[in-house]
Amino acid sequence: MPWNQGGGGGPWGGGGGGPWGRPPGGGGLQPPNLEEILKRGQERVKRVLPGGFGSGRGFALVGLIIFALWLASGFYRVHPDQQGVVLRFGEWVRTAQPGLNYHLPTPIEAVLLPRVTFSHSMDVGFRAPIEGRGGRPRSVPEESLMLTGDENIIDIQYTVFWQIKDAGLFLFNIASPEGTVKAVAESAMREVSGQLSAQFAMAEGRAQIETQTQRLMQRILDQYEAGVLILQVQLRAVDPPAQVIDAFRDVQRAKADRERARNDAESYRNDIVPRARGDAQRILQEAEAYRQQAIAQAQGEAQRFLSVFNAYKLAEEVTKQRLFLETMEEVFRGTNKIIIDQPAGGGPGVIPYLPLPELRRTPAPPPAAAQPSGQQPTGRVSQ
């Protein structure tokens, strides 16, 4: 070995038990001889380059090493959350995806590595308080006041979340990315709110406003080739202007009362109309039943009359007697009279009778007031 000419045990020669060698007379460790090290290094270079660095071969080797290092400087790595924008003499030529990539070394090509998965947020219509200072958000009326389709003014405050979709377009197609996104957000929100009524926008239309604004913003930015992806439009507040908010709340309460009264009336209608329809149906059914009954009864009476008439034609005297008896029975039904059709020992035209109904209604007299024996009540009816 050329570095062990002293025959010692260490790489610097000199023997001994340590890397610095041991002096002839013993003792501790000694520092290396720098002049001897440089001299040995020059000898090794001379063996590789006989003419030294000043020769043509030396210059070529040095130049080759420098050129290799310059070429190796073109390797670069794109992280998963980045895109590599390769510039050739300042002009965007391509976009590199995550992984190990290569570009021509500087100054021919250079690379920019913007983060494309980071979510940016932008407040429109208000400014959030600085973190750590507290306080309430500050309204920006020139951004938040919108004119609705029914010619009312509402105050809309919202936040836009976006990220870079194409790093090359984002860096070179628009001069002010954030300013462009903000201007597009205001324009899209004014267009969407201008097609809706104020009441709808402040009530059930919030989700529709967010969705339509996001789609419109994305369409405009794609037309600009801005390389921006709109992730979400989130409404913070949709209110009337602060100057008229009290009057607006009064109107809202009146509308709520109107809606409640309308619901009560609808509930009453839903209760009374089915009942009325049920009663009408019942009356119709009863009338139909009475009609059927009257028709059946009339038909029965007519059939009975025909039967009596046929019997009368067969036996006139018997039928007359039967009709007379049935008529008298019908006439005297329910009366309290007893008629005896045969004279019973009285004068002409006088019929004695026993007042049985009066006796039945008169209570029995007490034993002390009993009538004398041999007397019986009698009565006469003159014809």
Side-chain angles (χ1 to χ4, degrees):
M1 297 288 295
W3 301 104
N4 195 14
Q5 296 178 0
W12 309 106
W20 310 113
R22 183 181 299 273
L29 298 176
Q30 298 294 329
N33 191 339
L34 296 179
E35 294 181 358
E36 183 179 355
I37 293 174
L38 292 175
K39 183 178 180 180
R40 292 176 180 176
Q42 291 176 356
E43 291 177 356
R44 289 177 59 87
V45 171
K46 288 179 180 180
R47 283 196 296 269
V48 177
L49 298 175
F53 284 104
S55 63
R57 185 179 179 184
F59 283 118
L61 180 61
V62 172
L64 183 62
I65 294 174
I66 294 175
F67 182 74
L69 294 177
W70 179 70
L71 291 178
S73 66
F75 288 98
Y76 65 97
R77 180 183 178 186
V78 180
H79 293 279
D81 61 339
Q82 297 175 335
Q83 284 185 359
V85 180
V86 180
L87 308 179
R88 182 176 298 165
F89 299 111
E91 180 186 3
W92 171 43
V93 291
R94 66 180 181 276
T95 301
Q97 299 303 318
L100 184 63
N101 296 271
Y102 181 80
H103 67 84
L104 296 178
T106 307
I108 300 175
E109 289 184 349
V111 64
L112 301 177
L113 300 173
R115 297 176 59 188
V116 296
T117 60
F118 178 76
S119 178
H120 303 266
S121 63
M122 178 181 299
D123 298 330
V124 183
F126 73 102
R127 297 294 181 270
I130 300 177
E131 186 177 357
R133 294 187 179 182
R136 300 179 59 184
R138 179 174 58 88
S139 178
V140 185
E142 57 270 19
E143 298 178 0
S144 61
L145 294 181
M146 310 281 175
L147 184 65
T148 62
D150 55 355
E151 299 183 356
N152 286 316
I153 297 177
I154 57 177
D155 190 341
I156 301 181
Q157 300 177 2
Y158 56 101
T159 302
V160 178
F161 297 91
W162 58 278
Q163 68 181 20
I164 301 174
K165 180 171 63 174
D166 190 310
L169 297 177
F170 178 79
L171 293 175
F172 296 102
N173 273 21
I174 51 178
S176 176
E178 294 188 359
T180 302
V181 172
K182 184 176 181 180
V184 170
E186 291 186 40
S187 176
M189 182 61 71
R190 294 185 188 279
E191 179 175 345
V192 171
S193 61
Q195 300 174 356
L196 306 174
S197 65
Q199 180 62 32
F200 180 79
M202 289 183 289
E204 66 271 17
R206 297 172 65 96
Q208 180 177 341
I209 292 175
E210 293 176 345
T211 303
Q212 291 185 356
T213 303
Q214 178 183 356
R215 292 176 180 174
L216 183 57
M217 287 185 62
Q218 190 64 61
R219 185 165 67 248
I220 295 174
L221 290 171
D222 290 344
Q223 292 175 356
Y224 291 166
E225 295 184 353
V228 173
L229 175 64
I230 303 299
L231 301 176
Q232 184 184 7
V233 176
Q234 185 177 33
L235 293 179
R236 177 181 176 272
V238 182
D239 297 318
Q243 295 83 351
V244 297
I245 191 169
D246 293 335
F248 179 82
R249 288 174 178 171
D250 292 338
V251 173
Q252 292 301 108
R253 284 191 290 267
K255 289 183 178 180
D257 294 340
R258 181 189 66 180
E259 192 66 23
R260 182 172 60 254
R262 182 180 298 172
N263 292 337
D264 293 342
E266 187 69 20
S267 177
Y268 175 75
R269 174 184 176 275
N270 293 335
D271 176 63
I272 197 65
V273 169
R275 286 196 298 169
R277 289 175 178 171
D279 293 341
Q281 191 66 24
R282 178 178 55 79
I283 293 173
L284 290 175
Q285 292 177 356
E286 291 177 355
E288 183 64 24
Y290 175 75
R291 172 180 172 273
Q292 296 293 337
Q293 178 185 356
I295 292 174
Q297 186 175 358
Q299 291 176 349
E301 293 291 338
Q303 189 66 32
R304 178 176 174 276
F305 177 79
L306 292 176
S307 299
V308 172
F309 179 71
N310 292 331
Y312 174 76
K313 289 192 299 183
L314 295 176
E316 295 183 1
E317 294 298 330
V318 175
T319 304
K320 288 180 181 180
Q321 185 66 22
R322 179 184 174 185
L323 291 175
F324 173 78
L325 293 177
E326 289 179 354
T327 303
M328 295 305 294
E329 181 183 2
E330 186 69 24
V331 170
F332 289 106
R333 179 178 298 175
T335 61
N336 294 323
K337 293 184 179 297
I338 299 176
I339 301 175
I340 302 175
D341 58 353
Q342 297 294 333
V350 178
I351 300 176
Y353 75 96
L354 184 65
L356 297 178
E358 285 79 2
L359 292 177
R360 186 170 62 250
R361 290 194 299 265
T362 304
Q371 296 181 354
S373 60
Q375 297 182 359
Q376 294 182 357
T378 59
R380 295 180 182 268
V381 175
S382 61
Q383 294 181 349

